[in-house]
Amino acid sequence: MERRQVEERGNGFHSCCNGAVADRSNLASVITQYVETLNQHNLRFLGYPTNQDFDYDALAPLLHFHLNNVGDPFTESSFSLNSSKFEVCVLDWFANLWEIDKGEYWGYVTTGGTEGNLHGILTGREQFPDGILYTSQDSHYSIFKAARMYRMQCVTVGTLVSGEIDCVDLKALLLAHKDKPAIINLNIGTTMKGAIDDIDLVVQTLEGSGFSCDQFYIHCDGALFGMMMPFLIQAPKVTFKKPIGSITISGHKFLGCPFPCGVLITRLEYINTLAKNVEYIASRDVTITGSRRGHAPIFLWYALKERGSVGLQNEVQKCIISARYLQHRLREAKIGAMLNEFSNTVVFERPQDDDFARKWSLACKKNIAHGVVMQHVTVEMLDSFVNEFIQERQIWFQDDGKRNPLCLANDIGVGNCACILHE
């Protein structure tokens, strides 16, 4: 979006937070006005996977300290104002979730999913310097960014209508490049459709294409679902008992946090090729960034301890049930909608009005948009969204009688499309 458009949309607040208007005498009122604006946006925040339902007031005293977890969390640095002990507790929790023993894993709290992907892909590249990166066309943009940054050959794999990686296409591509190791990025919940790549099927495809375990590295981008799936009965297991090399999640997505953060877990055996001792910090440089936010591990630790496994499981179930409700309401209104199994991402036709999409913070791509049903999303919010969507569609498609909803059969499947050909 152009800078001019951004300024126009937030012109009232923009004038308050710039220039002489925002002097020391009215700083509190500027923040109060901004909080009111945020509260209004929060009532219709539907399109992105960030949980807004959290309360960290008990941690407010920590804001009086700069906390910096520079270096390896398992090698405490000389920067004494750190939260490394909390960080290791968080890492132990996720290592247990993904079934890897304490003495066999390494990890750290990142700035978010992108940094976790950058580290996971780098680890794979260090194992196989001449390896080819394979990732589906529905992967997060950070995977393609990693390929550019590391100057890796990147092969884009096709996907099924669901958004899941197409293993038939993957096999053909692997066979065409059998002379080089494979570095595979798998999506545990794709960005737009919430599709889950089948780890077992991908491993079978690798082995069936002649790649042994010492010829491939698998990184799992589990930004949202990597934490949800272990709490869903019958969901495919994301575990280090399978031949994967690394997993990353975003802490601000399912858990919820006031700032972006994430967790990266990999196998300890891979880390020595990345690590360099740095005398200045009395620790090892093995992370993507140098200085790292020390508050993030404490916020994650607090969320995990306060809610516990039972609480987290209940939240997962609530999100899944509410997502099914949204899909049902849309289909009932004859609006094409798709919901993948074990997913809380509902995909539907893209609104014709960009202002409507922005009002509900919808993520859009080509013909489709989606809503991600997180903990803060209530049934009342979903009803309000669907009712307004129905009203707006009557204006978009019936005023001139010439336009009809797009056919989404190629985007979400014939069974989910509600166009005049498939309703």
Short mmCIF file of all heavy atoms in Angstrom, two decimals, residues 9 38 40-50 52 348 351 354-364 369-372 376 381 385:
data_model
loop_
_atom_site.label_atom_id
_atom_site.label_comp_id
_atom_site.label_asym_id
_atom_site.label_seq_id
_atom_site.Cartn_x
_atom_site.Cartn_y
_atom_site.Cartn_z
N ARG A 9 -5.82 6.84 5.58
CA ARG A 9 -6.64 5.95 6.40
C ARG A 9 -6.52 6.28 7.88
O ARG A 9 -7.45 6.13 8.65
CB ARG A 9 -6.25 4.50 6.16
CG ARG A 9 -6.78 3.94 4.84
CD ARG A 9 -6.19 2.58 4.56
NE ARG A 9 -6.45 1.66 5.64
CZ ARG A 9 -5.81 0.51 5.80
NH1 ARG A 9 -4.89 0.14 4.93
NH2 ARG A 9 -6.10 -0.29 6.80
N LEU A 38 -7.38 0.90 18.48
CA LEU A 38 -7.06 -0.52 18.48
C LEU A 38 -8.24 -1.36 18.94
O LEU A 38 -8.53 -2.42 18.38
CB LEU A 38 -5.85 -0.79 19.39
CG LEU A 38 -4.51 -0.23 18.94
CD1 LEU A 38 -3.44 -0.50 19.99
CD2 LEU A 38 -4.09 -0.85 17.61
N GLN A 40 -11.35 -0.72 18.55
CA GLN A 40 -12.31 -0.79 17.45
C GLN A 40 -11.88 -1.80 16.39
O GLN A 40 -12.67 -2.59 15.89
CB GLN A 40 -12.49 0.60 16.83
CG GLN A 40 -13.22 1.59 17.72
CD GLN A 40 -14.61 1.09 18.10
OE1 GLN A 40 -15.41 0.67 17.26
NE2 GLN A 40 -14.89 1.11 19.40
N HIS A 41 -10.59 -1.79 16.05
CA HIS A 41 -10.07 -2.76 15.08
C HIS A 41 -10.21 -4.18 15.60
O HIS A 41 -10.50 -5.12 14.85
CB HIS A 41 -8.60 -2.48 14.76
CG HIS A 41 -8.38 -1.29 13.87
ND1 HIS A 41 -9.00 -1.16 12.64
CD2 HIS A 41 -7.61 -0.19 14.01
CE1 HIS A 41 -8.62 -0.03 12.07
NE2 HIS A 41 -7.80 0.58 12.89
N ASN A 42 -10.02 -4.35 16.90
CA ASN A 42 -10.05 -5.68 17.50
C ASN A 42 -11.42 -6.33 17.40
O ASN A 42 -11.53 -7.57 17.36
CB ASN A 42 -9.64 -5.58 18.98
CG ASN A 42 -8.74 -6.71 19.41
OD1 ASN A 42 -8.09 -7.34 18.59
ND2 ASN A 42 -8.72 -6.99 20.70
N LEU A 43 -12.46 -5.53 17.33
CA LEU A 43 -13.82 -6.06 17.23
C LEU A 43 -14.07 -6.74 15.89
O LEU A 43 -15.03 -7.52 15.77
CB LEU A 43 -14.84 -4.92 17.42
CG LEU A 43 -14.86 -4.26 18.80
CD1 LEU A 43 -15.80 -3.05 18.78
CD2 LEU A 43 -15.29 -5.25 19.86
N ARG A 44 -13.21 -6.45 14.89
CA ARG A 44 -13.41 -7.02 13.55
C ARG A 44 -12.10 -7.60 13.02
O ARG A 44 -11.88 -7.60 11.81
CB ARG A 44 -13.94 -5.94 12.60
CG ARG A 44 -15.30 -5.39 12.97
CD ARG A 44 -15.80 -4.37 11.97
NE ARG A 44 -14.94 -3.20 11.94
CZ ARG A 44 -15.05 -2.15 12.72
NH1 ARG A 44 -16.03 -2.10 13.61
NH2 ARG A 44 -14.23 -1.13 12.62
N PHE A 45 -11.27 -8.10 13.90
CA PHE A 45 -9.97 -8.64 13.47
C PHE A 45 -10.13 -10.13 13.17
O PHE A 45 -10.08 -10.96 14.06
CB PHE A 45 -8.92 -8.41 14.56
CG PHE A 45 -7.52 -8.63 14.06
CD1 PHE A 45 -6.86 -7.67 13.30
CD2 PHE A 45 -6.85 -9.82 14.32
CE1 PHE A 45 -5.58 -7.88 12.83
CE2 PHE A 45 -5.57 -10.04 13.86
CZ PHE A 45 -4.93 -9.06 13.11
N LEU A 46 -10.32 -10.45 11.89
CA LEU A 46 -10.72 -11.80 11.52
C LEU A 46 -9.76 -12.50 10.56
O LEU A 46 -9.78 -13.72 10.45
CB LEU A 46 -12.12 -11.75 10.89
CG LEU A 46 -12.81 -13.06 10.56
CD1 LEU A 46 -12.96 -13.95 11.79
CD2 LEU A 46 -14.18 -12.80 9.94
N GLY A 47 -8.91 -11.76 9.86
CA GLY A 47 -8.19 -12.35 8.74
C GLY A 47 -6.78 -12.84 8.99
O GLY A 47 -6.17 -13.43 8.09
N TYR A 48 -6.25 -12.65 10.19
CA TYR A 48 -4.86 -13.03 10.42
C TYR A 48 -4.73 -13.86 11.70
O TYR A 48 -5.47 -13.64 12.67
CB TYR A 48 -3.96 -11.79 10.50
CG TYR A 48 -3.83 -11.11 9.15
CD1 TYR A 48 -4.74 -10.12 8.77
CD2 TYR A 48 -2.83 -11.47 8.25
CE1 TYR A 48 -4.66 -9.52 7.53
CE2 TYR A 48 -2.74 -10.87 7.01
CZ TYR A 48 -3.65 -9.90 6.66
OH TYR A 48 -3.57 -9.32 5.41
N PRO A 49 -3.78 -14.80 11.72
CA PRO A 49 -3.70 -15.76 12.83
C PRO A 49 -2.94 -15.23 14.04
O PRO A 49 -1.87 -15.71 14.39
CB PRO A 49 -2.96 -16.95 12.20
CG PRO A 49 -2.05 -16.31 11.19
CD PRO A 49 -2.83 -15.14 10.63
N THR A 50 -3.51 -14.20 14.67
CA THR A 50 -2.92 -13.73 15.92
C THR A 50 -4.00 -13.71 17.00
O THR A 50 -5.04 -13.07 16.82
CB THR A 50 -2.30 -12.32 15.78
OG1 THR A 50 -3.27 -11.41 15.24
CG2 THR A 50 -1.09 -12.36 14.87
N GLN A 52 -5.75 -12.47 20.05
CA GLN A 52 -5.81 -11.20 20.79
C GLN A 52 -6.37 -11.36 22.20
O GLN A 52 -6.52 -10.38 22.92
CB GLN A 52 -6.68 -10.21 20.01
CG GLN A 52 -6.19 -9.90 18.61
CD GLN A 52 -4.88 -9.15 18.61
OE1 GLN A 52 -4.62 -8.31 19.47
NE2 GLN A 52 -4.02 -9.46 17.65
N PHE A 348 -12.83 -18.36 1.55
CA PHE A 348 -14.08 -18.01 0.87
C PHE A 348 -13.81 -17.01 -0.25
O PHE A 348 -12.66 -16.57 -0.44
CB PHE A 348 -15.10 -17.44 1.87
CG PHE A 348 -14.54 -16.42 2.82
CD1 PHE A 348 -14.43 -15.08 2.46
CD2 PHE A 348 -14.11 -16.79 4.09
CE1 PHE A 348 -13.91 -14.14 3.33
CE2 PHE A 348 -13.59 -15.86 4.98
CZ PHE A 348 -13.48 -14.52 4.60
N PRO A 351 -13.99 -10.57 -1.22
CA PRO A 351 -14.96 -9.48 -1.31
C PRO A 351 -14.63 -8.55 -2.47
O PRO A 351 -13.46 -8.30 -2.76
CB PRO A 351 -14.80 -8.76 0.04
CG PRO A 351 -14.24 -9.79 0.96
CD PRO A 351 -13.35 -10.64 0.12
N ASP A 354 -12.65 -3.50 -1.49
CA ASP A 354 -11.44 -3.53 -0.67
C ASP A 354 -11.67 -2.90 0.70
O ASP A 354 -11.04 -3.29 1.69
CB ASP A 354 -10.29 -2.81 -1.38
CG ASP A 354 -9.75 -3.61 -2.56
OD1 ASP A 354 -10.04 -4.81 -2.64
OD2 ASP A 354 -9.06 -3.02 -3.42
N ASP A 355 -12.54 -1.92 0.78
CA ASP A 355 -12.82 -1.28 2.07
C ASP A 355 -13.46 -2.27 3.03
O ASP A 355 -13.16 -2.28 4.23
CB ASP A 355 -13.73 -0.06 1.89
CG ASP A 355 -13.01 1.12 1.24
OD1 ASP A 355 -11.77 1.16 1.34
OD2 ASP A 355 -13.69 1.98 0.66
N PHE A 356 -14.34 -3.12 2.51
CA PHE A 356 -14.95 -4.15 3.35
C PHE A 356 -13.88 -5.13 3.84
O PHE A 356 -13.87 -5.52 5.02
CB PHE A 356 -16.03 -4.90 2.56
CG PHE A 356 -16.63 -6.06 3.31
CD1 PHE A 356 -17.64 -5.85 4.23
CD2 PHE A 356 -16.20 -7.36 3.08
CE1 PHE A 356 -18.19 -6.92 4.94
CE2 PHE A 356 -16.75 -8.42 3.77
CZ PHE A 356 -17.75 -8.20 4.69
N ALA A 357 -12.98 -5.53 2.94
CA ALA A 357 -11.91 -6.46 3.33
C ALA A 357 -11.02 -5.84 4.39
O ALA A 357 -10.62 -6.51 5.35
CB ALA A 357 -11.09 -6.84 2.10
N ARG A 358 -10.71 -4.55 4.25
CA ARG A 358 -9.86 -3.89 5.25
C ARG A 358 -10.60 -3.73 6.58
O ARG A 358 -9.99 -3.84 7.66
CB ARG A 358 -9.40 -2.53 4.73
CG ARG A 358 -8.24 -2.60 3.76
CD ARG A 358 -7.61 -1.23 3.55
NE ARG A 358 -8.50 -0.35 2.80
CZ ARG A 358 -8.48 -0.20 1.48
NH1 ARG A 358 -7.60 -0.89 0.77
NH2 ARG A 358 -9.30 0.64 0.89
N LYS A 359 -11.89 -3.47 6.50
CA LYS A 359 -12.68 -3.30 7.72
C LYS A 359 -12.58 -4.53 8.60
O LYS A 359 -12.49 -4.43 9.83
CB LYS A 359 -14.14 -3.02 7.37
CG LYS A 359 -15.06 -2.88 8.57
CD LYS A 359 -16.49 -2.61 8.12
CE LYS A 359 -17.42 -2.49 9.33
NZ LYS A 359 -18.83 -2.23 8.91
N TRP A 360 -12.57 -5.72 7.97
CA TRP A 360 -12.51 -6.97 8.71
C TRP A 360 -11.09 -7.56 8.73
O TRP A 360 -10.90 -8.70 9.15
CB TRP A 360 -13.50 -7.99 8.13
CG TRP A 360 -14.91 -7.62 8.43
CD1 TRP A 360 -15.76 -6.89 7.65
CD2 TRP A 360 -15.62 -7.91 9.64
NE1 TRP A 360 -16.97 -6.73 8.29
CE2 TRP A 360 -16.92 -7.36 9.51
CE3 TRP A 360 -15.31 -8.60 10.81
CZ2 TRP A 360 -17.88 -7.45 10.51
CZ3 TRP A 360 -16.26 -8.72 11.80
CH2 TRP A 360 -17.53 -8.14 11.65
N SER A 361 -10.11 -6.78 8.31
CA SER A 361 -8.70 -7.20 8.29
C SER A 361 -8.53 -8.55 7.58
O SER A 361 -7.79 -9.43 8.04
CB SER A 361 -8.14 -7.30 9.72
OG SER A 361 -8.10 -6.04 10.34
N LEU A 362 -9.21 -8.72 6.45
CA LEU A 362 -9.15 -9.98 5.73
C LEU A 362 -7.87 -10.07 4.90
O LEU A 362 -7.45 -9.10 4.28
CB LEU A 362 -10.36 -10.12 4.80
CG LEU A 362 -11.74 -10.10 5.45
CD1 LEU A 362 -12.82 -10.25 4.38
CD2 LEU A 362 -11.87 -11.20 6.50
N ALA A 363 -7.26 -11.25 4.90
CA ALA A 363 -6.13 -11.52 4.01
C ALA A 363 -6.70 -12.01 2.69
O ALA A 363 -7.52 -12.93 2.67
CB ALA A 363 -5.21 -12.57 4.63
N CYS A 364 -6.26 -11.42 1.58
CA CYS A 364 -6.79 -11.75 0.27
C CYS A 364 -5.67 -12.13 -0.69
O CYS A 364 -4.56 -11.59 -0.60
CB CYS A 364 -7.57 -10.57 -0.32
SG CYS A 364 -8.95 -9.99 0.69
N ALA A 369 -10.25 -15.08 -0.17
CA ALA A 369 -9.87 -14.44 1.09
C ALA A 369 -10.02 -15.49 2.17
O ALA A 369 -10.54 -16.58 1.93
CB ALA A 369 -10.77 -13.24 1.37
N HIS A 370 -9.57 -15.17 3.38
CA HIS A 370 -9.80 -16.14 4.46
C HIS A 370 -10.01 -15.43 5.78
O HIS A 370 -9.62 -14.28 5.99
CB HIS A 370 -8.66 -17.17 4.55
CG HIS A 370 -7.38 -16.67 5.15
ND1 HIS A 370 -6.17 -17.30 4.95
CD2 HIS A 370 -7.08 -15.63 5.96
CE1 HIS A 370 -5.21 -16.67 5.59
NE2 HIS A 370 -5.75 -15.66 6.22
N GLY A 371 -10.66 -16.17 6.66
CA GLY A 371 -10.77 -15.77 8.05
C GLY A 371 -10.10 -16.83 8.89
O GLY A 371 -10.24 -18.03 8.63
N VAL A 372 -9.33 -16.40 9.88
CA VAL A 372 -8.66 -17.34 10.78
C VAL A 372 -9.31 -17.20 12.15
O VAL A 372 -9.21 -16.15 12.79
CB VAL A 372 -7.15 -17.07 10.86
CG1 VAL A 372 -6.46 -18.17 11.67
CG2 VAL A 372 -6.54 -16.97 9.46
N HIS A 376 -9.97 -15.01 20.26
CA HIS A 376 -10.72 -13.78 20.51
C HIS A 376 -11.96 -13.65 19.63
O HIS A 376 -12.79 -12.76 19.85
CB HIS A 376 -9.82 -12.56 20.28
CG HIS A 376 -9.43 -12.38 18.84
ND1 HIS A 376 -8.38 -13.06 18.28
CD2 HIS A 376 -9.94 -11.61 17.85
CE1 HIS A 376 -8.26 -12.71 17.00
NE2 HIS A 376 -9.19 -11.84 16.72
N MET A 381 -19.19 -12.11 16.67
CA MET A 381 -18.36 -11.48 15.64
C MET A 381 -18.56 -12.18 14.30
O MET A 381 -18.68 -11.52 13.25
CB MET A 381 -16.88 -11.52 16.04
CG MET A 381 -15.97 -10.77 15.07
SD MET A 381 -14.19 -11.05 15.33
CE MET A 381 -14.00 -10.47 17.01
N PHE A 385 -20.04 -10.56 10.87
CA PHE A 385 -19.29 -10.59 9.61
C PHE A 385 -20.13 -11.19 8.48
O PHE A 385 -20.24 -10.60 7.39
CB PHE A 385 -18.01 -11.40 9.79
CG PHE A 385 -17.34 -11.76 8.49
CD1 PHE A 385 -16.71 -10.79 7.72
CD2 PHE A 385 -17.35 -13.07 8.03
CE1 PHE A 385 -16.11 -11.12 6.51
CE2 PHE A 385 -16.76 -13.41 6.83
CZ PHE A 385 -16.13 -12.43 6.06
#
